[in-house]
C-alpha cells in the first residue's frame, strides 16, 4: 500500500454497489488514501488477475450472477496462495455460513457480515482500519515518502525541460540567469563542473539533465522562475499551483523525506522544524495527504503544458 488502496469487489447489483462504493471511498478519504476499486460480476472472474496479491482488500457478495457463489471464488484464491483479506457479505446469511463451513477450513483474513447498509459499512471500516494500521510502520513510511518524492523530482525536471522547449529567447534568458546564479553559488566546490556546463552547446539542458549537478533545491529555484512566465505569458491559471512552490514543496514533503532518510527503524520520532513529531497514524495520514496535494499541483502543470501549450503549437 502506498497512497492508493486497491479493492477487488465482487458485486452484481449496481444500486447496492454504487451506494456502498461512495461510503467505502469516504472511509478511505479519512486515511488520505486514494481508492482504486475494480468491480467484478463473478462470471468474469480469472485467478490470473490476482496472482501477485496486488489488492489490499477483496469484498465478496456470496450470491453472484449466473448462480456463481462467492465461496467458490474464495476457495480458488486460497488454493493459489492469495492471502488478501476478504469480506464476505450476504442477505442469505445462513446459506453463506453453511457454504463456507462445507468448503473451507478456518482461514485467517476471511470476515463475514450481513448485506445491510449500516452493518456492512461498519465492518468495512474496521477491516480497512486494521489493514492500514498494519502497514503504518517506519519502514513503509520511509519507503512511500522516498518513492513519491523521487517521482516528484523526476517530474519537476521534466516540466523544466518541457518549458525550456516552449519558451522564447527572452524567457530562456531569464531562466539561464537564474541557473547561472545558482551555479556561481556552488563555485567553491564544483568549479570544474561549472566550466563543463558553460562549454556545452545548450547550458540549460546540459545542467538540468545532469544527474549530480543540480539538487532538488536548485531545480525548485528554476521552477519558481518558470511559474510567473507560465502564468503571465501562457495563461496558466494562478489556482493551478501555489505561487511559492519551492517552500510549499519543502514543507509538505521534502523536509520529511530528509528526516526519514536518516533514521533507524527503531526510532519513534523525527524532528521537524525543531519539534519532535511522533511516527504514528497521524503522521502517516498527514504525509499521504501532503503527497496527494503536491501530486495534484504537479499534475495541473503537466496537464496544462500538454493540453494548452502543445495545442497552441508553442
Amino acid at each position: 500500500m502506498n497512497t492508493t488502496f486497491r479493492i477487488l469487489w465482487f458485486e452484481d447489483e449496481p444500486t447496492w454497489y454504487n451506494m456502498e462504493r461512495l461510503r467505502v471511498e469516504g472511509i478511505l478519504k479519512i486515511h488520505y488514501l486514494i481508492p482504486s476499486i475494480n468491480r467484478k460480476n463473478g462470471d468474469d472472474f480469472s485467478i490470473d488477475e490476482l496472482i501477485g496479491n496486488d489488492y489490499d482488500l477483496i469484498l465478496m457478495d456470496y450470491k453472484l450472477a449466473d448462480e456463481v457463489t462467492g465461496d467458490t471464488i474464495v476457495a480458488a484464491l486460497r488454493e493459489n496462495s492469495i492471502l488478501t483479506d476478504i469480506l464476505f457479505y450476504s442477505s442469505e446469511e445462513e446459506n453463506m455460513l453453511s457454504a463456507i463451513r462445507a468448503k473451507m477450513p478456518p482461514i485467517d483474513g476471511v470476515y463475514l457480515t450481513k448485506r445491510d447498509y449500516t452493518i456492512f459499512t461498519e465492518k468495512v471500516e474496521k477491516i480497512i482500519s486494521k489493514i492500514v494500521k498494519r502497514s503504518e510502520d517506519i519502514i513503509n513510511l520511509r519507503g512511500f515518502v522516498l518513492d513519491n518524492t523521487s517521482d516528484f523530482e523526476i517530474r519537476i525536471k521534466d516540466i523544466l525541460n518541457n518549458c525550456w522547449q516552449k519558451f522564447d529567447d527572452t524567457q530562456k534568458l531569464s531562466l539561464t540567469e537564474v541557473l547561472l546564479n545558482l551555479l556561481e553559488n556552488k563555485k567553491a566546490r564544483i568549479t570544474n563542473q561549472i566550466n563543463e556546463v558553460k562549454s556545452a552547446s545548450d547550458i540549460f539542458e546540459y545542467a538540468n539533465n545532469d544527474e549530480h549537478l543540480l539538487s532538488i533545491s536548485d531545480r525548485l529555484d528554476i521552477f519558481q522562475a518558470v511559474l510567473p512566465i507560465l502564468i503571465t505569458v501562457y495563461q496558466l491559471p494562478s489556482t493551478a499551483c501555489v505561487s511559492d512552490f519551492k517552500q510549499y514543496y519543502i514543507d509538505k514533503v521534502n523536509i520529511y523525506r530528509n528526516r526519514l532518510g536518516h533514521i533507524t527503524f527503531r526510532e519513534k520520532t523525527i524532528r521537524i522544524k525543531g519539534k519532535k513529531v511522533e511516527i504514528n497514524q497521524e503522521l502517516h495520514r498527514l504525509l499521504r495527504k501532503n503527497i496527494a496535494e503536491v501530486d495534484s499541483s504537479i499534475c495541473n502543470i503537466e496537464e496544462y503544458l500538454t493540453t494548452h501549450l502543445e495545442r497552441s503549437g508553442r
Side-chain angles (χ1 to χ4, degrees):
M1 185 194 311
N2 193 326
T3 55
T4 300
F5 193 94
R6 296 173 176 83
I7 296 176
L8 177 61
W9 198 329
F10 289 92
E11 174 57 62
D12 63 336
E13 292 187 15
T15 302
W16 166 274
Y17 170 77
N18 290 330
M19 177 64 72
E20 282 302 321
R21 177 178 57 81
L22 293 175
R23 298 182 186 212
V24 170
E25 289 175 348
I27 294 168
L28 293 173
K29 186 176 181 180
I30 294 172
H31 295 279
Y32 295 99
L33 287 165
I34 301 167
S36 175
I37 301 176
N38 183 12
R39 179 188 166 210
K40 298 284 185 179
N41 291 324
D43 56 350
D44 54 353
F45 168 70
S46 171
I47 193 68
D48 294 336
E49 293 184 21
L50 289 109
I51 301 298
N53 297 307
D54 290 329
Y55 291 99
D56 299 296
L57 175 63
I58 297 173
L59 301 176
M60 179 77 66
D61 181 20
Y62 167 67
K63 193 169 184 180
L64 297 163
D66 298 328
E67 303 304 317
V68 176
T69 53
D71 57 300
T72 303
I73 295 176
V74 172
L77 297 179
R78 293 310 192 232
E79 287 171 4
N80 285 273
S81 299
I82 295 170
L83 305 178
T84 307
D85 288 324
I86 300 171
L87 175 62
F88 256 129
Y89 61 93
S90 178
S91 56
E92 301 180 10
E93 189 175 12
E94 289 302 319
N95 289 337
M96 176 179 68
L97 293 172
S98 297
I100 291 173
R101 282 194 293 266
K103 291 190 177 183
M104 299 170 58
I107 297 176
D108 290 338
V110 175
Y111 305 91
L112 308 174
T113 192
K114 292 182 179 180
R115 188 186 181 88
D116 174 274
Y117 284 118
T118 302
I119 297 174
F120 176 84
T121 305
E122 290 176 353
K123 191 79 170 186
V124 172
E125 183 174 16
K126 289 178 181 179
I127 295 172
I128 288 176
S129 294
K130 174 190 171 185
I131 294 170
V132 172
K133 187 174 182 180
R134 193 166 60 204
S135 74
E136 290 180 339
D137 58 41
I138 182 58
I139 295 174
N140 284 330
L141 180 64
R142 179 162 53 195
F144 91 77
V145 171
L146 295 182
D147 284 348
N148 279 278
T149 51
S150 294
D151 176 64
F152 294 156
E153 290 172 13
I154 292 170
R155 289 159 66 191
I156 288 170
K157 183 181 77 171
D158 289 342
I159 287 172
L160 294 176
N161 277 330
N162 200 340
C163 289
W164 181 256
Q165 295 298 327
K166 300 176 189 303
F167 285 2
D168 62 27
D169 290 343
T170 301
Q171 294 153 1
K172 287 183 176 182
L173 179 61
S174 70
L175 296 185
T176 302
E177 290 174 354
V178 173
L179 174 63
L180 290 175
N181 285 334
L182 288 170
L183 295 177
E184 289 300 328
N185 291 333
K186 295 173 176 283
K187 181 179 275 189
R189 62 185 177 84
I190 58 168
T191 301
N192 291 336
Q193 284 183 300
I194 292 176
N195 290 334
E196 289 179 9
V197 171
K198 288 183 175 181
S199 65
S201 58
D202 191 314
I203 293 175
F204 187 90
E205 288 189 338
Y206 181 99
N208 188 40
N209 291 299
D210 188 279
E211 290 187 13
H212 308 292
L213 184 61
L214 297 179
S215 66
I216 181 58
S217 180
D218 295 331
R219 287 194 173 91
L220 288 170
D221 281 328
I222 303 172
F223 195 91
Q224 283 299 130
V226 162
L227 279 177
I229 296 174
L230 290 177
I231 292 171
T232 59
V233 180
Y234 296 93
Q235 290 78 53
L236 173 74
S238 58
T239 55
C241 183
V242 297
S243 58
D244 190 358
F245 184 83
K246 178 179 180 178
Q247 193 60 50
Y248 171 81
Y249 183 90
I250 290 171
D251 291 341
K252 288 285 186 180
V253 294
N254 207 55
I255 192 171
Y256 295 96
R257 174 203 171 109
N258 292 341
R259 297 296 183 271
L260 290 169
H262 296 88
I263 62 172
T264 67
F265 70 92
R266 296 184 182 88
E267 294 183 62
K268 304 298 182 183
T269 63
I270 55 176
R271 185 166 290 275
I272 301 295
K273 295 184 177 180
K275 295 181 179 180
K276 282 188 176 181
V277 175
E278 288 190 25
I279 301 171
N280 55 17
Q281 185 177 71
E282 184 178 352
L283 181 61
H284 279 80
R285 290 184 178 182
L286 173 66
L287 289 177
R288 285 196 290 265
K289 174 176 176 288
N290 289 357
I291 284 171
E293 290 175 353
V294 172
D295 180 70
S296 178
S297 291
I298 295 175
C299 280
N300 286 342
I301 298 175
E302 291 170 332
E303 182 179 355
Y304 195 83
L305 291 174
T306 300
T307 60
H308 289 76
L309 270 64
E310 288 185 3
R311 188 181 300 161
S312 66
R314 289 175 170 169

